[in-house]
């Protein structure tokens, strides 16, 4: 169970959450979430989750790998944020976490009670819709907030018309 959303209370605004990763469809989710946030005077939260599965090495090696992963995450987020600013005209909040993606998404939703909609993009590839869409849809329990799934085949113009 998720805490009551505060996005409609005075001094708050509804936020759209999009996950940034190395999948090709991630950009579609960010664009849609950014357009929806801008068009509804809401907020945009971009989450990048560094997988901690790769850090089970010796402590010194794990620390170096963690630092390198953090630097890469910061560089990716800076580029995505700049793209949002230039192409959508909206300022995103940037969040970088370490752990399992679905756990970190749920944790962020619980912590930021203005987050009201999770936006994911589904791959049209032969391997299925993608790990995040599959994980959210296959949880076995309802997701605590609405989830919008954007087809990766939508163009920028189609996203603008829908958002």
């Amino acid at each position: 169970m998720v805490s009551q959303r505060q996005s409609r209370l005075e001094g708050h605004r509804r936020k759209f959450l999009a996950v940034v990763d190395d999948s090709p469809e991630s950009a579609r989710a960010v664009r849609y979430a950014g357009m929806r946030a801008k068009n509804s005077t809401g907020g945009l939260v971009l989450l990048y989750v560094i997988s901690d599965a790769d850090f089970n090495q010796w402590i010194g090696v794990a620390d170096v790998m963690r630092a390198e992963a953090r630097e890469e995450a910061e560089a990716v987020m800076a580029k995505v944020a700049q793209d949002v600013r230039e192409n959508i005209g909206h300022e995103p909040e940037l969040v970088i976490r370490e752990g399992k993606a679905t756990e970190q998404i749920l944790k962020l939703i619980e912590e930021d009670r203005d987050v009201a909609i999770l936006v994911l993009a589904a791959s049209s590839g032969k391997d299925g819709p993608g790990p995040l869409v599959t994980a959210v849809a296959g949880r076995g329990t309802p997701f605590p907030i609405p989830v919008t799934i954007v087809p990766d085949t939508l163009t920028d113009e189609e996203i603008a018309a829908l958002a």
Side-chain angles (χ1 to χ4, degrees), residues 32-90:
Y32 181 85
M35 295 293 295
R36 288 280 293 136
K38 179 182 178 184
N39 292 339
S40 66
T41 64
L44 171 63
V45 179
L46 301 178
L47 172 65
Y48 188 106
V49 180
I50 301 167
S51 174
D52 60 359
D54 299 331
F55 302 142
N56 295 330
Q57 306 284 335
W58 297 305
I59 292 176
V61 174
D63 290 344
V64 170
M65 291 174 70
R66 185 173 278 113
E68 289 173 353
R70 180 75 185 198
E71 282 180 28
E72 180 182 339
E74 289 171 354
V76 168
M77 289 292 269
K79 183 178 183 313
V80 172
Q82 186 61 32
D83 184 58
V84 168
R85 286 184 207 103
E86 290 176 1
N87 296 311
I88 298 174
H90 202 70

Side-chain angles (χ1 to χ4, degrees), residues 5-153:
R5 302 290 87 192
Q6 295 181 331
S7 57
R8 296 291 184 194
L9 299 176
E10 186 176 335
H12 295 266
R13 64 184 179 158
R14 177 175 59 177
K15 294 180 182 179
F16 295 82
L17 172 61
V19 179
V20 175
D21 59 26
D22 60 357
S23 69
E25 61 269 15
S26 174
R28 303 288 77 209
V30 169
R31 182 154 189 89
Y32 181 85
M35 295 293 295
R36 288 280 293 136
K38 179 182 178 184
N39 292 339
S40 66
T41 64
L44 171 63
V45 179
L46 301 178
L47 172 65
Y48 188 106
V49 180
I50 301 167
S51 174
D52 60 359
D54 299 331
F55 302 142
N56 295 330
Q57 306 284 335
W58 297 305
I59 292 176
V61 174
D63 290 344
V64 170
M65 291 174 70
R66 185 173 278 113
E68 289 173 353
R70 180 75 185 198
E71 282 180 28
E72 180 182 339
E74 289 171 354
V76 168
M77 289 292 269
K79 183 178 183 313
V80 172
Q82 186 61 32
D83 184 58
V84 168
R85 286 184 207 103
E86 290 176 1
N87 296 311
I88 298 174
H90 202 70
E91 185 64 36
E93 293 178 42
L94 307 178
V95 179
I96 299 173
R97 299 271 178 98
E98 186 179 311
K100 185 176 177 189
T102 52
E103 291 172 4
Q104 293 304 317
I105 291 168
L106 290 167
K107 187 175 177 183
L108 179 58
I109 290 168
E110 182 60 30
E111 292 169 4
D112 187 342
R113 293 173 50 196
D114 288 341
V115 172
I117 298 173
L118 172 63
V119 179
L120 301 174
S123 172
S124 56
K126 63 179 178 5
D127 293 333
L132 276 180
V133 173
T134 301
V136 168
R139 277 177 30 99
T141 59
F143 207 74
I145 62 173
V147 179
T148 299
I149 300 177
V150 180
D152 73 341
T153 56

